[in-house]
Amino acid sequence: MEFKDYYETMGVPREASSDDIRRAYRKLARKYHPDVSKEPDAESRFKEVGEAYEVLKDPEKRAAYDQLGANWKAGEEFRPPPDAGTGFEFAGGGPDASEFFEALFGRGAGLGQGRGQGRGQGRGQFGAQSENRHARVLIELEDAYGGATRTITLRTPEVAAGGQVVFREHTLNVTIPRGIRPGQHIRLAGQGSPAAGGGQAGDLYLEVQFRPHPLYRVEERDVYLELPVAPWEATLGATLKVPTPSGIVELKVPPGTAAGRKLRLRGRGIPASPPGDLYVLVQIALPPADTGAAQAFYSTMSQQFSSFDPRAKLGV
């Protein structure tokens, strides 16, 4: 993913005021509007300008973007850390918010879930409308297997009396349902912004992602584990103890198992209806030849299997 410098797109410095950004947008929107512009790339430039303005005009989105983007330049390969964009709480974005921004902060940060839109929003006193909120959070894979209650801290950007944006932290006790998958949402009713005049508050939607795990990776409902196997276990077959997010199980490795073979533990993936599976990817682990005796054994083995050519299929 390439980093998008919204300030460069708008032609304004990072310290530009809201009025400067608004004036730059109006000027560029007139210049590149497809109905009047003669520029060959008018349509794409018009979309880029609208995308940048959608973020920079919003104080809370701009503040979060500034925290993540301060050390990047437009067009550079952007590989944010797994926890980038998590823990920021936003009001729903407009329809022009970018896929780039959503990739950083979650899908709800760029969807039309602002005032008067989406589930959980309604009219409070004097006809005022409540506002849904959105945040992306990280949980452990194991939480999805058994369900859990976790304390989560969110940062909410707010405009202070002096006009500067500050971050207010607040904590929530969140019940994580069993079987939740990456990209799904937990709805916290009434935890969004209240309507003006004291009306009913909107909802808070938490988009769930899993923390990187040292053992497993997840695809939809399925879970994958790379399992080191000794050469004699792969050749002769063995019954091995294998970790899963729900506990230790026994796995039969068939005789003659080759490196890269995928063995399935049916129903051991993320709980669902039907549940996912856990796939064990076999990796052959060679004992180190770090002693004279070990080196002698490898030498004997090379003589014993002198006719074996592991590269025969390569034609070399």
Side-chain angles (χ1 to χ4, degrees), residues 182-193:
Q184 292 188 320
H185 289 78
I186 298 173
R187 177 189 173 208
L188 303 181
Q191 296 292 319
S193 297

Side-chain angles (χ1 to χ4, degrees), residues 2-4 7-9 62 70 72 85 89 117 127 140 147 160 165 172 197 212 216 222 261 300 313 316:
E2 289 188 353
F3 180 76
K4 293 187 178 182
Y7 293 99
E8 183 176 303
T9 299
R62 180 181 178 183
W72 295 87
E89 181 183 327
Q117 301 178 36
E140 306 296 340
V165 177
L172 298 166
Y216 312 106
D222 296 330
R261 182 170 179 177
T300 301
K313 293 183 179 180
V316 295

Side-chain angles (χ1 to χ4, degrees), residues 11-313:
V12 298
R14 299 187 73 86
E15 63 273 12
S17 67
S18 296
D19 289 339
D20 292 336
I21 292 171
R22 189 179 304 108
R23 283 192 292 267
Y25 171 70
R26 290 173 178 171
K27 178 181 177 181
L28 293 171
R30 286 194 299 269
K31 179 179 180 180
Y32 293 111
H33 197 289
D35 293 341
V36 298
S37 178
K38 303 298 183 182
E39 302 285 341
D41 58 347
E43 185 173 356
S44 62
R45 290 285 288 127
F46 185 75
K47 290 180 179 179
E48 290 173 359
V49 169
E51 175 183 316
Y53 183 60
E54 187 67 28
V55 172
L56 297 185
K57 74 176 182 179
D58 187 317
E60 61 179 22
K61 289 183 172 62
R62 180 181 178 183
Y65 170 80
D66 286 348
Q67 284 207 353
L68 291 184
N71 299 318
W72 295 87
K73 295 180 180 179
E76 288 186 345
E77 184 68 17
F78 185 58
R79 294 181 180 177
D83 60 349
T86 59
F88 288 97
E89 181 183 327
F90 298 103
D96 295 326
S98 69
E99 293 181 3
F100 171 78
F101 193 81
E102 291 178 20
L104 298 184
F105 297 102
R107 288 177 294 173
L111 298 176
Q113 295 177 344
R115 294 186 181 277
Q117 301 178 36
R119 286 184 62 188
Q121 293 180 336
R123 296 186 177 273
Q125 297 178 8
F126 312 114
Q129 291 179 319
S130 60
E131 184 175 63
N132 285 342
R133 306 285 292 180
H134 166 89
R136 174 186 281 173
V137 297
L138 292 178
I139 67 170
E140 306 296 340
L141 170 61
E142 288 81 358
D143 292 340
Y145 271 74
T149 298
R150 294 286 181 259
T151 299
I152 294 175
T153 300
L154 299 179
R155 290 175 289 169
T156 304
E158 294 181 345
V159 180
Q164 72 275 23
V165 177
V166 297
F167 286 91
R168 175 180 60 86
E169 288 192 352
H170 64 111
T171 58
L172 298 166
N173 289 323
V174 178
T175 299
I176 299 170
R178 182 175 181 268
I180 197 164
R181 302 193 304 276
Q184 292 188 320
H185 289 78
I186 298 173
R187 177 189 173 208
L188 303 181
Q191 296 292 319
S193 297
Q200 182 179 0
D203 300 333
L204 172 60
Y205 289 87
L206 302 178
E207 180 185 322
V208 169
Q209 296 294 337
F210 292 160
R211 295 185 188 279
H213 200 286
L215 297 181
Y216 312 106
R217 62 180 174 88
V218 178
E219 293 183 9
E220 297 294 333
R221 293 190 299 265
D222 296 330
V223 178
Y224 292 79
L225 167 71
E226 292 187 358
L227 181 69
V229 174
W232 50 89
E233 293 171 333
T235 302
L236 304 177
T239 299
L240 306 178
K241 291 184 177 181
V242 175
T244 78
S246 57
I248 303 295
V249 300
E250 289 191 342
L251 172 69
K252 289 186 177 181
V253 178
T257 294
R261 182 170 179 177
K262 185 163 61 175
L263 305 175
R264 181 170 67 170
L265 291 171
R266 190 184 301 273
R268 290 285 180 172
I270 295 176
S273 182
D277 298 325
L278 191 144
Y279 290 95
V280 175
L281 305 178
V282 174
Q283 306 292 328
I284 305 300
L286 295 177
D290 52 1
T291 66
Q295 292 174 9
F297 177 81
Y298 273 107
S299 178
T300 301
M301 190 167 66
S302 69
Q303 297 173 18
Q304 181 72 28
F305 295 100
S306 58
S307 62
F308 173 66
D309 183 2
R311 292 169 293 281
K313 293 183 179 180

